[in-house]
Amino acid sequence: MSRYILRRLLGLIPVLFGITLAVFLLLRSIPGDPAIVLAGERATPEQIAALRTQLGLDRPWYIQYFAFLGNLLQLNLGNSILSGIPVFDEIRTRWAATFELSIAATLVAIILGVPAGIIAAVQKNRWQDQVTIAGSLVGVSLPVYWLGLLLIYLFSVTLKVLPPSGRINFGFDFQPITGFYVLDTLLKFNIPAFFDVIAHLILPALTLGTIPLAIMARITRSAMLEVLSQDYIRTAKAKGLSDRVVILRHALKNALLPINTTIGLQFGTLLSGAVLTETIFSWAGIGSWIYEGILARDYPVVQGGVVFVAIVFVLINLLVDLSYAIIDPRIRYQ
């Protein structure tokens, strides 16, 4: 097992190398100059040129790239061109917000998607199955930004029952501990703040979790249908076991591998795909931060943010692979 983990971690090196090179070249192919953004509209060409020299942007791209790699090996992601704050510090203060939102969206997908897939498989070709298939198609097709704005209009503007943006109301005297506001409010026994944080979390979690929910329902349905057609399921039914025991103890247990894989991949995708959701709901996470960096051509911010997300994504996939051995004891890693 340890050798397998070591090989996977070593495999992270070429992956990160390819990601950093792709991001680096894509950023420099986008029209715009961070020196112009930083200098302002009234800056003279001489001032802009001096700023480009100061930032090292006048050097050939490959020299800039290897300088970036050298700093990365020293765990130095550079400083934001606009704010001057170290990128590492920005990530340290924002990652918990993105993780909290992604965890909530994943829970939405699991709690609603897995039961829907099970019911659709058990009730194959009946109205429950048709509703699940139609609902999953609609869920996958909905644009995130459109759904987010629709939910804000319905629940914040019209019904006025949920806040439209942010993570907590400014009226609370609240100092975060871990950065996970749900956990922090519980640690401080601040119950009113806890419910306020939950209220702020509902709309962005629903928006971000809709597509994974639809995918989860489809994958669960397919996995359950395959398992339910196996001989041992018919044997279990012939023994007189109740449908509940057959479905939950025998069928679902053996359908967990593809479901588990989907959960892991979707969680990793949510971390990197929360840009629109965080922007719509003014959520101070990694996604909205990278988006602002792209608009401002803040190269260190975008490069550092993408590298961080890539590392987390690869590590989550590693954890998913390792969990196979727990779910199915027949699987062994060497």
Side-chain angles (χ1 to χ4, degrees):
M1 178 72 81
S2 57
R3 295 178 62 183
Y4 174 78
I5 296 174
L6 181 61
R7 284 203 306 271
R8 289 292 302 269
L9 291 176
L10 290 176
L12 182 63
I13 296 174
V15 172
L16 286 179
F17 179 78
I19 291 173
T20 55
L21 182 60
V23 172
F24 193 88
L25 295 178
L26 283 174
L27 273 176
R28 274 134 185 96
S29 66
I30 298 175
D33 190 334
I36 296 176
V37 177
L38 187 60
E41 297 179 354
R42 297 183 180 180
T44 64
E46 292 76 17
Q47 290 174 321
I48 295 174
L51 197 52
R52 295 190 86 251
T53 303
Q54 179 185 340
L55 297 173
L57 299 175
D58 59 335
R59 295 180 294 174
W61 70 267
Y62 51 88
I63 294 180
Q64 295 182 48
Y65 177 66
F66 284 111
F68 167 69
L69 285 184
N71 291 330
L72 184 61
L73 291 176
Q74 303 174 49
L75 301 180
N76 178 13
L77 295 173
N79 295 344
S80 167
I81 292 178
L82 290 184
S83 66
I85 299 174
V87 171
F88 185 81
D89 290 346
E90 290 274 14
I91 292 175
R92 188 165 53 83
T93 58
R94 292 173 179 271
W95 73 273
T98 297
F99 267 68
E100 186 172 66
L101 177 57
S102 300
I103 291 171
T106 304
L107 289 177
V108 168
I110 294 173
I111 292 171
L112 299 180
V114 173
I118 295 174
I119 293 173
V122 174
Q123 305 294 333
K124 183 183 178 184
N125 295 330
R126 297 181 180 176
W127 68 268
Q128 296 94 332
D129 186 25
Q130 301 300 325
V131 168
T132 301
I133 293 174
S136 62
L137 287 175
V138 172
V140 171
S141 306
L142 285 177
V144 171
Y145 63 91
W146 180 85
L147 179 62
L149 294 176
L150 177 66
L151 291 177
I152 290 175
Y153 177 75
L154 286 178
F155 294 99
S156 300
V157 178
T158 304
L159 299 177
K160 301 183 185 304
V161 293
L162 292 172
S165 63
R167 299 181 67 191
I168 189 171
N169 281 332
F170 291 110
F172 289 100
D173 183 16
F174 173 73
Q175 293 296 325
I177 302 172
T178 65
F180 292 85
Y181 282 14
V182 174
L183 177 62
D184 291 344
T185 52
L186 289 176
L187 291 175
K188 293 192 172 186
F189 298 103
N190 193 337
I191 302 304
F194 169 76
F195 285 109
D196 185 73
V197 169
I198 294 294
H200 280 81
L201 194 56
I202 291 175
L203 291 186
L206 285 175
T207 302
L208 191 61
T210 298
I211 293 178
L213 189 161
I215 295 174
M216 203 81 74
R218 295 297 294 265
I219 295 295
T220 303
R221 177 183 178 274
S222 300
M224 286 293 292
L225 283 176
E226 183 178 350
V227 173
L228 288 173
S229 65
Q230 300 296 318
D231 290 337
Y232 64 87
I233 295 295
R234 284 191 285 271
T235 302
K237 289 180 179 178
K239 288 181 178 178
L241 297 177
S242 65
D243 290 343
R244 180 172 173 273
V245 172
V246 172
I247 293 169
L248 297 181
R249 185 178 298 176
H250 296 280
L252 182 59
K253 182 179 179 182
N254 289 285
L256 277 180
L257 275 183
I259 297 173
N260 181 60
T261 303
T262 306
I263 292 173
L265 292 176
Q266 288 302 312
F267 182 71
T269 305
L270 290 178
L271 288 174
S272 57
V275 175
L276 287 176
T277 304
E278 290 187 0
T279 304
I280 292 170
F281 290 96
S282 300
W283 196 267
I286 296 291
S288 59
W289 177 61
I290 293 176
Y291 174 73
E292 293 166 2
I294 294 173
L295 291 181
R297 306 295 186 270
D298 198 334
Y299 297 157
V301 164
V302 181
Q303 292 165 180
V306 172
V307 168
F308 171 76
V309 171
I311 292 174
V312 173
F313 188 84
V314 173
L315 292 179
I316 288 174
N317 276 276
L318 174 60
L319 291 177
V320 170
D321 288 347
L322 296 179
S323 68
Y324 290 165
I326 300 173
I327 297 173
D328 189 344
R330 295 171 299 179
I331 298 177
R332 291 286 183 273
Y333 295 107
Q334 295 180 352

